[in-house]
Amino acid sequence: MRKEGGKKRKEYGALQFAVEAVLVLLACFVVFPIVLIFINSFKSNGEILTDMLALPQSFGFGNYKEAIEKMNFFLKFANTVLVSVLSVAGIVLFGSMAAYKITRVKNRVSNLIYYGILFTMAIPFQVLMVPVVIVARNLHIVNTLYGMIFMYWGFLLPMALFLYCGFIKGIPRDLEEAAMIDGCGQFQAFFHVVFPILKPITATVAIINVLGVFNDFMLPLIMLNSEKKKTIQLSMSVFYGTYLNRWDLIMAALVLSILPALIFFLAFQKQIIKGMADGAVKG
């Protein structure tokens, strides 16, 4: 019996090692292009064309300075942050309120609204591109940042609603009923009792949507044509087409476009995992 147990432990150890080796290999495939871009962002154009895998002869920030000036990076970054923050704020506010009402009011109308909203998640964005442009022109919100924000509310609310509904189902009604007995209205009961309990899933919804909006390219492409209102990802595409032969500037611009989202994700990855786990348990 002891020998059999020892064999099982050895087999498990070998299997675990194989799994970890595969995961490390996959991680290397993912990280290697990012590391390569970062290294080449410090090289001159000649060094990159000579040997892309070699280390730079000298480290300097000249490429970054030139890329920031030519790309007007800080303006594009401010546009992207503004759209991301206001879009996510609306998604969190309207998504949580709608999910609370739909979850607490059980009837055919609420079920119809719930499944109707979720059905829109199955429609690819490419199918909606032309209708989106037509609607935006009729509403006179083309080439405006607030128009982008309204569009993000519409496109990203279904997923937020789905996550919030799953979480709210696990919150006892007794808490808000007790608050109402004490004199709170429905809005007060929601914002003072229910919404604070939604912190884990709110963090998940906020972080995922911030990354999604920040890195989005398609909606800004069809909505914005003014250079001063472009976001980072859209500006990066234009920058790449303009300086196609300047790989030193392109690499520096790529690092600038990747770095904010990467730092944000690394800073809040624990909240994403915790929020998803809590949401699964609550739902």
Side-chain angles (χ1 to χ4, degrees):
M1 294 296 291
R2 291 181 179 177
K3 289 182 179 180
E4 290 179 0
K7 287 181 180 180
K8 286 182 179 179
R9 282 195 293 270
K10 288 182 180 179
E11 290 175 359
Y12 174 76
L15 178 62
Q16 185 179 20
F17 175 79
V19 171
E20 290 177 354
V22 171
L23 292 175
V24 169
L25 186 62
L26 292 174
C28 290
F29 276 115
V30 173
V31 173
F32 178 73
I34 300 175
V35 174
L36 193 63
I37 291 171
F38 181 76
I39 291 173
N40 283 279
S41 67
F42 294 98
K43 295 181 182 179
S44 65
N45 200 44
E47 289 181 78
I48 296 174
L49 295 176
T50 301
D51 189 356
M52 184 174 285
L53 298 176
L55 292 174
Q57 296 178 358
S58 61
F59 284 88
F61 293 94
N63 292 340
Y64 286 94
K65 183 179 179 181
E66 189 174 355
I68 288 172
E69 292 175 354
K70 293 183 180 298
M71 192 179 176
N72 201 355
F73 175 79
F74 293 114
L75 176 62
K76 309 302 171 52
F77 180 74
N79 291 342
T80 308
V81 170
L82 178 65
V83 171
S84 300
V85 170
L86 294 182
S87 297
V88 172
I91 291 166
V92 168
L93 177 63
F94 300 132
S96 60
M97 291 174 66
Y100 171 72
K101 193 66 177 179
I102 289 172
T103 305
R104 291 298 189 246
V105 178
K106 288 293 184 180
N107 54 41
R108 291 182 179 180
V109 176
S110 64
N111 288 334
L112 181 63
I113 294 173
Y114 176 70
Y115 289 109
I117 292 175
L118 292 188
F119 174 75
T120 61
M121 294 169 57
I123 304 175
F125 177 74
Q126 290 77 5
V127 176
L128 302 174
M129 289 174 63
V130 174
V132 162
V133 174
I134 294 173
V135 171
R137 285 179 179 173
N138 291 336
L139 295 176
H140 305 288
I141 58 174
V142 174
N143 199 35
T144 62
L145 295 180
Y146 66 84
M148 288 268 295
I149 295 168
F150 292 152
M151 291 294 179
Y152 280 125
W153 288 353
F155 286 118
L156 300 179
L157 267 173
M159 177 58 74
L161 182 73
F162 174 73
L163 294 174
Y164 273 121
C165 282
F167 199 95
I168 292 173
K169 287 176 183 177
I171 300 176
R173 290 175 177 265
D174 299 343
L175 297 175
E176 58 215 69
E177 288 175 355
M180 291 179 184
I181 292 173
D182 292 337
C184 289
Q186 196 169 24
F187 278 98
Q188 290 176 315
F190 172 74
F191 284 108
H192 292 288
V193 178
V194 178
F195 191 73
I197 303 175
L198 300 178
K199 282 183 180 179
I201 198 65
T202 296
T204 301
V205 170
I207 293 168
I208 291 175
N209 283 295
V210 163
L211 292 173
V213 174
F214 192 93
N215 293 318
D216 187 36
F217 172 75
M218 292 303 298
L219 189 59
L221 178 65
I222 64 175
M223 284 287 292
L224 302 175
N225 51 50
S226 173
E227 185 64 30
K228 292 182 179 180
K229 296 178 181 178
K230 289 180 179 177
T231 58
I232 287 180
Q233 303 306 327
L234 182 57
S235 183
M236 182 62 220
S237 175
V238 175
F239 186 87
Y240 178 82
T242 304
Y243 299 96
L244 185 59
N245 296 322
R246 292 291 307 275
W247 288 102
D248 51 343
L249 295 184
I250 290 174
M251 295 295 177
L254 281 171
V255 173
L256 290 171
S257 63
I258 294 171
L259 200 57
L262 184 61
I263 293 173
F264 185 86
F265 176 79
L266 293 176
F268 293 99
Q269 59 179 328
K270 290 184 180 180
Q271 283 81 352
I272 295 176
I273 297 171
K274 185 178 184 300
M276 287 185 171
D278 290 345
V281 173
K282 291 286 186 181

